[in-house]
Amino acid sequence: MMQVCLNGSRTAADGAAVPLTPESIADSAAEAVAAGATDIHVHPKTPCGQDTLSPRVLAPVLSAIRARVPVPVGVTTGAWAEPDPAARLRRIRDWTVLPDHASVNWHEPGAEETAALLMERGVGVEAGIWSGTDGAEKFAVSPLGPKVLRVLAEVTDTDPSVAASSARALLSAIGTAHGRPVLLHGEDGGAWPVLRLAGRLGLATRIGLEDVLVLPNGERARSNAHLVAAGLAEYGASRAVTPDRPGRPSGGNP
């Protein structure tokens, strides 16, 4: 599985390639799927470019994407989009068009309640477990753990020289993940080393302008499709390396 993360919390200041409007998001999604993406993660934006859970913003974004591509579409429920846990739940209850799945960051206040409501509404939950947080510990004892769609293992260490090691530590902390599939990814300087590690481990992964703005050679990415094509090439090359397991040293470059 190669998920494309279309925009994240990035804004127009990060370049014209970052899609912000429903139309540009749908265009970018269609190009990324044509390049090989099999799943979509998007942050719906207000007209001023801020992440939001507003149903008035969410509905046109999801509708625009689904008019162009047949793959599953997920959104964020990150605290930065709605800091108040109670208000976050109200927003989700008011959604008129539902995503296929939504990410819930387990270290954030209100995560259990948010995940429970999403499941009640029939929305799959990606359990976001960030390195450097207590998310793994909280998820390990969560009664909702076995019910999530998958675990989104997010490596926040952006140092390319140590990101793969941080990823291994995170996977070790996640453990069996309640038997759920794991999607492993990094960000910025750590994005490509962690994607290669995901390839060696045979894990699902993601790439897109939310996670990184440059290609493996440092060249500025022209689009999400550009990143997806490069990501699939890097993933495939990494799969050719002898598979290893979290916590065990591997050959080749990270």
Side-chain angles (χ1 to χ4, degrees):
M1 173 185 160
M2 177 64 73
Q3 184 181 81
V4 61
C5 46
L6 294 173
N7 53 11
S9 298
R10 300 198 191 271
T11 67
D14 294 298
V18 178
L20 303 175
T21 66
E23 295 76 17
S24 64
I25 288 170
D27 287 344
S28 189
E31 293 168 0
V33 170
T38 56
D39 192 277
I40 293 168
H41 174 78
V42 65
H43 290 205
K45 305 280 187 180
T46 65
C48 61
Q50 299 300 307
D51 288 2
T52 181
L53 305 184
S54 168
R56 290 180 296 177
V57 176
L58 194 82
V61 169
L62 292 176
S63 298
I65 293 173
R66 287 173 172 154
R68 301 290 300 277
V69 298
V71 304
V73 184
V75 300
T76 183
T77 63
W80 58 88
E82 180 49 73
D84 179 58
R88 195 179 314 143
L89 296 178
R90 288 196 296 272
R91 290 288 201 185
I92 293 170
R93 288 192 188 96
D94 288 342
W95 286 353
T96 55
V97 178
L98 298 177
D100 296 287
H101 52 78
S103 60
V104 178
N105 300 318
W106 233 259
H107 65 279
E108 293 178 348
E112 293 276 341
E113 294 80 4
T114 299
L117 176 58
L118 289 166
M119 291 177 185
E120 179 184 318
R121 299 213 64 191
V123 178
V125 171
E126 290 183 312
I129 311 299
W130 292 21
S131 63
T133 73
D134 61 358
E137 290 83 353
K138 289 181 175 179
F139 184 70
V141 296
S142 171
L144 299 179
K147 302 177 183 180
V148 303
L149 176 66
R150 59 179 156 258
V151 171
L152 196 61
E154 307 200 23
V155 180
T156 59
D157 194 333
T158 60
D159 183 340
S161 68
V162 299
S165 295
S166 294
R168 290 183 180 279
L170 177 60
L171 291 172
S172 179
I174 291 171
T176 63
H178 292 285
R180 306 311 300 145
V182 174
L183 186 158
L184 175 67
H185 76 99
E187 59 186 45
D188 293 321
W192 293 111
V194 173
L195 181 144
R196 295 184 193 108
L197 177 62
R200 291 201 298 276
L201 298 176
L203 297 175
T205 192
R206 79 179 200 184
I207 201 70
L209 292 166
E210 172 175 354
D211 286 349
V212 66
L213 298 174
V214 299
L215 300 172
N217 63 4
E219 175 189 345
R220 185 87 173 190
R222 297 189 301 273
S223 64
N224 278 301
H226 202 191
L227 287 169
V228 168
L232 288 169
E234 293 288 315
Y235 190 92
S238 298
R239 289 292 287 154
V241 177
T242 302
D244 55 1
R245 296 179 180 178
R248 195 180 93 187
S250 62
N253 294 324

